[in-house]
Amino acid sequence: KAGVTQTPRYLIKTRGQQVTLSCSPISGHRSVSWYQQTPGQGLQFLFEYFSETQRNKGNFPGRFSGRQFSNSRSEMNVSTLELGDSALYLCASSFSGSVETQYFGPGTRLLVL
Amino acid sequence: GENVEQHPSTLSVQEGDSAVIKCTYSDSASNYFPWYKQELGKRPQLIIDIRSNVGEKKDQRIAVTLNKTAKHFSLHITETQPEDSAVYFCAASRGAGSYQLTFGKGTKLSVIP
C-alpha cells in the first residue's frame, strides 16, 4: 500500500496570506488527523476528520480550519498567516481514527515571512 | 486537558551505553502511551507502545515501562547505536476510542560513536 502523502512538501508565504495544505491518506483509511510541529511546542493536535466530519479539535484559533472529501483526502487551511504559523504540518491517517493505528505523512514545511 | 512532560530535552550517550527518557502525564483516564522516533527531515514513526493494563513491554533493544499510580512512563534503549540518534516523542491518549494524541516536547538523542 502507498503511504500517507502530503502536498506540497515545502511552502513559503508572507504574513496575511492564506494557505491550503493537502493530505491523501492510505487507501481504505477514513480518518485524517492534523498536527502542527514547531521546535518550541513539539507536536500539537489540530483536528481530526472521519467520513467528512470533524470529530475532534485542538486548541488553535479559528484561522485554522480543515475539511475532508468523500474520498477521505483532507485539506487544512490557514488564513491570515502569522510568523508563528511557520511549522511542519503533519497529517496522520488511520482506518477508524484510533490513535493506535495511525500513520504519519512526511509533512508540509511552511515558512511565513 | 491532557498534559505530557518529557525529560530530558537533549541526551548524549556513548555508543553501547543505555539511554532513558522519561514522561509524565496528567490525565488519569489516559491508557495508551506510544513512543515515536523522528529522524532528521523524516516523519515520526511508532517504535513501541504500551497500554495501561501492562507494566512493561520489550522489543529487542527497546523497552517501555509504565507506572500508572505515579502517572509516568519511560523509554529504555540498551546497547545504543549511532542509528538510534533521533528525536524521540512520548505521547498519551485515552486509547482505542480516542482520536487525539498529546505529545511531549521531544528528546534529542545523540549517540556518540
Side-chain angles (χ1 to χ4, degrees), chain A residues 37 56 99-100 102 104-105, chain B residues 38 43 51 93 99-101:
Chain A
Q37 184 175 17
N56 203 7
V99 296
E100 300 189 13
Q102 69 179 15
F104 280 91
Chain B
Q38 188 177 30
R43 71 193 75 190
R51 292 168 181 79
S93 85
Y99 317 123
Q100 175 178 346
L101 280 172

Side-chain angles (χ1 to χ4, degrees), chain B residues 13-87:
Chain B
V13 299
Q14 291 291 133
E15 182 177 355
D17 286 351
S18 295
V20 180
I21 303 170
K22 299 181 179 182
C23 289
T24 59
Y25 62 98
S26 61
D27 184 356
S28 57
S30 289
N31 57 17
Y32 175 67
F33 307 93
W35 286 87
Y36 285 84
K37 174 183 180 182
Q38 188 177 30
E39 296 176 50
L40 191 62
K42 297 194 175 179
R43 71 193 75 190
Q45 299 225 318
L46 178 69
I47 55 171
I48 195 167
D49 57 13
I50 191 167
R51 292 168 181 79
S52 60
N53 58 345
V54 175
E56 182 176 0
K57 183 177 179 180
K58 285 180 109 172
D59 183 3
Q60 299 183 335
R61 297 185 295 108
I62 294 174
V64 57
T65 58
L66 171 66
N67 183 327
K68 279 211 74 177
T69 304
K71 292 190 206 166
H72 67 72
F73 56 112
S74 301
L75 178 71
H76 304 254
I77 306 175
T78 58
E79 300 171 15
T80 53
Q81 300 167 3
E83 51 264 39
D84 294 330
S85 295
V87 179

Side-chain angles (χ1 to χ4, degrees), chain A residues 3-5 9 31 33 35 37 39-45 48 55-58 88 90 96-107 109, chain B residues 31-34 36 38 40-46 49-51 87-90 92-106:
Chain A
V4 181
T5 59
R9 295 292 313 278
S31 166
S33 297
Y35 291 85
Q37 184 175 17
Q41 297 300 318
L43 285 112
Q44 293 184 285
F45 174 78
E48 186 261 352
R55 292 194 297 192
N56 203 7
K57 190 177 190 305
L88 180 68
L90 291 157
S96 65
S98 168
V99 296
E100 300 189 13
T101 59
Q102 69 179 15
Y103 297 87
F104 280 91
R109 186 164 296 281
Chain B
N31 57 17
Y32 175 67
F33 307 93
Y36 285 84
Q38 188 177 30
L40 191 62
K42 297 194 175 179
R43 71 193 75 190
Q45 299 225 318
L46 178 69
D49 57 13
I50 191 167
R51 292 168 181 79
V87 179
Y88 291 81
F89 292 93
C90 63
S93 85
R94 291 188 171 189
S98 172
Y99 317 123
Q100 175 178 346
L101 280 172
T102 302
F103 285 86
K105 292 190 178 180

